[in-house]
Amino acid sequence: MEIVQNLLIQSNSSSLIEWRNNVKQHVTGLNELFYENGRFTQTVSNTFNESSSLIVFAEQFLGEQLMGLLSLLDKEGTQTVRLYSPELIENTVVIRLALSNQNLGLKESLAQFCQQQVIDFALMPQFPDWSQPGLVLMDMDSTTIQIECIDEIARLYGVGEQVSAVTALAMQGKLDFNQSLRTRVGKLKDAPVSILQDVADNMPLMPGLLALIKNLKKSGWKVAIASGGFNYFADRLKQDHGFDAAVSNSLEIKDGMLTGEVTGEIVNADVKKRTLSELAEQFDIPMSQTVAIGDGANDLLMLSASGMGIAIHAKPIVQEKAEVSINHTDLQGALCILSAAHQDNSWA
């Protein structure tokens, strides 16, 4: 495997995709590729049993970054790493590494390394199976779209600073969500309903959303919204982009004006968690095949209840507790994780 080692060293400043192509060109009969005792090999000293899977991805992923990652794993006591062939998924470079073992501090070390290298990772004993039906349940504000709708309504109505300050505290988990929502909505009393349409017509989608939805549908997965925001916007997203369900709050409207009240049950953290299990049951999907994606404290319960919880550009409290955090790529990172986790060994 000296050729593989040299090709990676030579490709330090090149993409992993170029390294992969060079390996396939120069190494005949390559089936499995391992990293053990600081070297690449096709035969390992003991029978290889995967204890966990590491998926690493970035828009720019270089050979020197892979070398640094493999050195880190070796230093952290991972005895054997099986490397799958790097892939290009929606303009993002992805590599899956199967680990023979992992020490308790590995995830923290990986987080520090990946933050420095501006790459993302997911480390789990087992990922949802992309080849089987599944469900992705997403938060809406700052997750499927790039804004907080209530802050935009407030800004157009002239009470933006008052409302956004409360929103920030609620998303950090520093305020009771139900009370904070009622407080914020109360400041919108007598706002014309036309403001809602203005916001809905200009909702900026989170990058990667459409690619994620397209590929989820292609693979037979369901995708839904559970939002502490409002159904005026969630239903519009469902209609325009093919979500299978949308659960959110209802703003009371009378005579073309907002009353400053929310009607019905408030979609808080408990309701989001319940929605995950209800939709899984409705679509006949096991909980191990569910993925939840969110960014705020209101998402923590559904993240922890899902088969895989993903924090997307999230508040610190959410990153700290979520199983997976995406900090540098966008929503197509979720697609990378799901797709790469089911990847066959494609070196052959």
Side-chain angles (χ1 to χ4, degrees):
M1 290 285 93
E2 193 70 28
I3 294 176
V4 174
Q5 184 88 12
N6 290 338
L7 286 172
L8 186 53
I9 293 172
Q10 294 167 14
S11 302
N12 266 354
S13 58
S14 301
S15 168
L16 287 192
I17 300 302
E18 183 176 338
W19 171 68
R20 176 200 69 187
N21 294 341
N22 285 335
V23 169
K24 290 187 175 183
Q25 179 182 349
H26 290 90
V27 182
T28 57
L30 179 61
N31 184 28
E32 296 179 327
L33 181 61
F34 297 92
Y35 187 81
E36 187 176 66
N37 299 321
R39 307 297 296 177
F40 289 103
T41 180
Q42 285 182 273
T43 57
V44 290
S45 53
N46 297 301
T47 302
F48 180 80
N49 293 307
E50 179 179 338
S51 70
S52 58
S53 192
L54 171 63
I55 296 168
V56 192
F57 50 98
E59 290 186 11
Q60 298 289 331
F61 200 149
L62 307 180
E64 61 184 348
Q65 292 174 307
L66 177 59
M67 284 299 297
L69 177 61
L70 293 172
S71 296
L72 171 67
L73 293 171
D74 186 51
K75 180 182 176 182
E76 290 291 327
T78 302
Q79 295 164 0
T80 307
V81 179
R82 179 180 179 182
L83 292 87
Y84 288 76
S85 175
E87 294 181 275
L88 190 62
I89 300 176
E90 297 287 340
N91 300 315
T92 300
V93 181
V94 188
I95 186 167
R96 176 188 169 196
L97 308 173
L99 311 184
S100 62
N101 63 290
Q102 68 173 83
N103 291 336
L104 290 176
L106 179 58
K107 187 173 181 179
E108 183 178 347
S109 297
L110 285 169
Q112 293 175 357
F113 174 84
C114 289
Q115 181 65 28
Q116 293 169 354
Q117 297 294 322
V118 195
I119 55 181
D120 285 308
F121 78 97
L123 175 68
M124 292 182 64
Q126 189 170 0
F127 288 91
D129 188 344
W130 186 232
S131 67
Q132 300 297 317
L135 165 68
V136 171
L137 184 61
M138 307 177 69
D139 175 44
M140 179 175 68
D141 298 88
S142 298
T143 298
T144 62
I145 56 177
Q146 298 181 57
I147 59 172
E148 295 284 336
C149 288
I150 193 168
D151 290 355
E152 290 300 304
I153 299 169
R155 182 181 63 80
L156 293 174
Y157 189 48
V159 292
E161 290 187 6
Q162 301 173 48
V163 169
S164 61
V166 180
T167 299
L169 291 173
M171 292 303 97
Q172 294 166 23
K174 296 180 179 179
L175 293 177
D176 173 75
F177 183 82
N178 288 26
Q179 185 56 48
S180 74
L181 182 67
R182 294 190 188 281
T183 299
R184 287 176 286 164
V185 172
K187 296 184 183 299
L188 305 178
K189 184 178 180 181
D190 295 329
V193 72
S194 59
I195 289 181
L196 301 184
Q197 183 172 342
D198 290 341
V199 174
D201 288 343
N202 294 283
M203 289 186 292
L205 300 180
M206 189 66 74
L209 174 66
L210 298 184
L212 176 61
I213 294 174
K214 178 188 73 175
N215 284 279
L216 287 169
K217 296 285 187 177
K218 187 177 178 180
S219 294
W221 280 53
K222 302 293 185 181
V223 57
I225 290 173
S227 172
F230 308 114
N231 58 4
Y232 192 96
F233 310 105
D235 290 345
R236 175 73 171 270
L237 289 168
K238 178 185 175 185
Q239 172 187 320
D240 290 352
H241 302 295
F243 286 93
D244 296 288
V247 176
S248 53
N249 297 305
S250 298
L251 288 168
E252 186 177 60
I253 300 172
K254 288 184 179 178
D255 301 323
M257 301 286 186
L258 302 186
T259 67
E261 300 290 337
V262 179
T263 62
E265 182 180 43
I266 288 179
V267 181
N268 56 24
D270 290 311
V271 175
K272 287 189 174 191
K273 177 183 176 182
R274 190 185 74 210
T275 299
L276 179 70
S277 59
E278 288 176 347
L279 289 176
E281 182 177 0
Q282 176 185 331
F283 296 131
D284 194 25
I285 292 169
M287 289 299 290
S288 60
Q289 283 290 104
T290 63
V291 177
I293 307 176
D295 73 300
N298 198 36
D299 301 313
L300 282 171
L301 293 183
M302 76 171 183
L303 294 183
S304 63
S306 66
M308 178 172 65
I310 300 177
I312 178 82
H313 299 180
K315 311 301 181 289
I317 188 175
V318 186
Q319 290 197 42
E320 179 185 330
K321 296 186 178 182
E323 225 163 2
V324 176
S325 290
I326 296 176
N327 296 313
H328 306 294
T329 48
D330 51 42
L331 280 173
Q332 69 187 28
L335 173 62
C336 291
I337 295 169
L338 288 168
S339 178
H342 185 66
Q343 176 194 15
D344 292 329
N345 185 12
S346 56
W347 289 108

